[in-house]
Amino acid sequence: MPVGTQATVKGVTAAQLRETTATLPDVTAQMILGNTYHLALRPGHELIRKMGGLHQFMNWDGPILTDSGGFQVFSLSKLNKIDERSAVFHSHIDGRKIDLTPEYSVEIQESLGSDIAMVLDHVIALPASDEAVIDATERSVRWAVRSLNAATRSDQARFAIVQGGLNETIRAQCARDLAAHPFDGFAIGGLSVGEPPPEMYRIVKATCPHLPEDKPRYLMGVGRPIDMLEAIAEGVDLFDCVMPTRNGRNAFAFTDEGPLKLRNAIHKDDPRPLEDSCPCPACQHSRAYLRHLFVTGEMLGPILLTIHNLTYYQRLMHQAREAILAGTFLELLERHRALAAPKEM
Amino acid sequence: MPVGTQATVKGVTAAQLRETTATLPDVTAQMILGNTYHLALRPGHELIRKMGGLHQFMNWDGPILTDSGGFQVFSLSKLNKIDERSAVFHSHIDGRKIDLTPEYSVEIQESLGSDIAMVLDHVIALPASDEAVIDATERSVRWAVRSLNAATRSDQARFAIVQGGLNETIRAQCARDLAAHPFDGFAIGGLSVGEPPPEMYRIVKATCPHLPEDKPRYLMGVGRPIDMLEAIAEGVDLFDCVMPTRNGRNAFAFTDEGPLKLRNAIHKDDPRPLEDSCPCPACQHSRAYLRHLFVTGEMLGPILLTIHNLTYYQRLMHQAREAILAGTFLELLERHRALAAPKEM
């Protein structure tokens, strides 16, 4: 899922976003992610509801998943107080106090009208004591059940979020506790927050076996191509990450040969596109042109590389699906493991 | 002509630029403007030549006109020294000394491979004494003839530039002097530099009768919709201006009902598009959404309003052509005169 925090995937029109999958066979729509916290602050979920919901507001007719706000409470708010009832914190925009209960997160997401709503969870900073991790994890399970009970829309799916820090036992217990409830899918949260990738893979590997086989699994906030493929190997289906868009804005292009940093002088007079076979608008140009756009600070550089990277990520996920069906997934994974130590190009 | 100073119309892909005229009957290509001065500095005209020329470099298959650098010598360089041979000045990027002769401007533009090359002219700051204006104007004529003599490409048209400050007599003399040479078109330069619009109209009115009827006339750096229509009434054919793009980036939208400033709170919950009948991607959204993008600082706001404003300008020029053919141009002009005192909306 491309990340569309504030009702826009940064720098990309809805038509351009649709085109990132246009040449992939059997892919007719892709899901994007919106953020409950950001949208509740600006422009406000009541306004979006009045405007016909988030799909109409941002003119996106594909599926939308909304995050619950739990991660933003953790990452954005310096002053927050979490107790059993709610997370009380201060807006990063204007300092206004917000009392976010699991039920209020459901209400906001129902106003937004996303296709998939995430439950509010309690994300804690790592490292933390086992006691603190267990406390936050058990609270996350109770909040997840409260969210399920608060939901009123029959046209919105609800995903729970497994917490448990870097402790395999706590993760497994959390996964089993959540799997006992009729959620439509299960996310693995609280990862990709600074831990080394092998730690993340270890937790994903320990968690997936305890999740239902027939429900989608979503690894939140991940990640690099290799991270996604390693997680797919463990049974994960769905990802969101700002990496294709944020890196694109910073002149970093993903390619099947490894990353390219477009500000580097080596690209100065290179007539080749980023990738020969890529159908995206960036690949209608030379690397020399793309570098020129970044060197001169032109908006079109970030725009084109964002579109290229989203196209690359969508193609990678398509390749993973095709490889699974063809029984060649491990070859794809090995190829990307070889690429994963990025060379400066 | 949308302005593409540094080989990109800011914030807009080539495909989006083509779409700004897609719904206009009989409009299959539009010209854009590139800047000799900027492109010679970055990435360098030799590099662009090596990359196959400016069309290929920026992936634009429509016509391109390149400015000569004369206006940038005037507007960007604090330290410049102009004598009969050349304009010597310092790059605004790195202070490097550049010795721009009329012949070198031709050479750069031939490397760029634009469809229309402008001659190097001597633009002076106003107000100025008649002596100074006459001196710069006569030099501009001599430089224009030197440019004509230096040109080697048979596939590149060459436009002269009428100078003469705000003096009708000097302007008329310059126009007649230039018209004696086989230029492919004639521009009116040195206007839209801070003088009141009626002064500009007066000079355009005094100049046009002295230009050949069968060659295109180009009013440089103009302008507001009303300015273009007033100039068309005097016989001008072609314009360039950053207004649709720059204003778009600043949340200012042009519409047939007058301008809209999208940051204003009045648009906060307005479900209407900028214009009901506009086919552009911005008009697939509500004003409320566009305002949200600007309030939250999202790139998509400037992108969408740039596309809308370019679409508006192209439609306005199309309306002018149609009105001329239908004999209703003065009605169009009167309607825009009524709009021209912009109301805050």
Side-chain angles (χ1 to χ4, degrees), chain A residues 147-213:
Chain A
S147 302
L148 206 52
N149 292 334
T152 67
R153 281 186 80 141
S154 61
D155 59 351
Q156 192 173 48
R158 277 164 287 276
F159 281 22
I161 305 176
V162 177
Q163 291 292 345
L166 298 176
N167 184 308
E168 298 176 28
T169 311
I170 303 172
R171 286 275 176 183
Q173 185 61 47
C174 182
R176 285 192 300 267
D177 289 347
L178 292 169
H181 298 279
F183 291 103
D184 301 297
F186 295 86
I188 304 175
L191 293 177
S192 199
V193 291
E195 76 284 2
E199 288 290 272
M200 178 174 74
Y201 305 158
R202 178 175 63 81
I203 293 303
V204 170
K205 190 184 185 73
T207 305
C208 281
H210 303 282
L211 294 173
E213 288 256 319

Side-chain angles (χ1 to χ4, degrees), chain B residues 252-322:
Chain B
F252 183 108
F254 291 94
T255 83
D256 269 342
E257 310 295 318
L260 295 174
K261 296 180 178 175
L262 266 295
R263 288 184 185 278
N264 286 357
I266 196 173
H267 305 299
K268 188 180 160 100
D269 56 1
D270 193 331
R272 291 177 299 165
L274 297 172
E275 297 189 286
D276 281 327
S277 60
C278 179
C280 89
C283 290
Q284 302 293 305
H285 292 282
S286 60
R287 297 178 188 184
Y289 180 71
L290 297 172
R291 177 176 186 273
H292 164 70
L293 295 176
F294 280 100
V295 167
T296 53
E298 285 285 352
M299 291 168 71
L300 191 57
I303 293 167
L304 287 175
L305 250 63
T306 295
I307 296 173
H308 173 79
N309 285 348
L310 289 174
T311 304
Y312 175 85
Y313 266 59
Q314 295 290 353
R315 189 177 67 223
L316 180 65
M317 290 300 95
H318 184 257
Q319 285 171 343
R321 288 191 291 273
E322 298 282 299

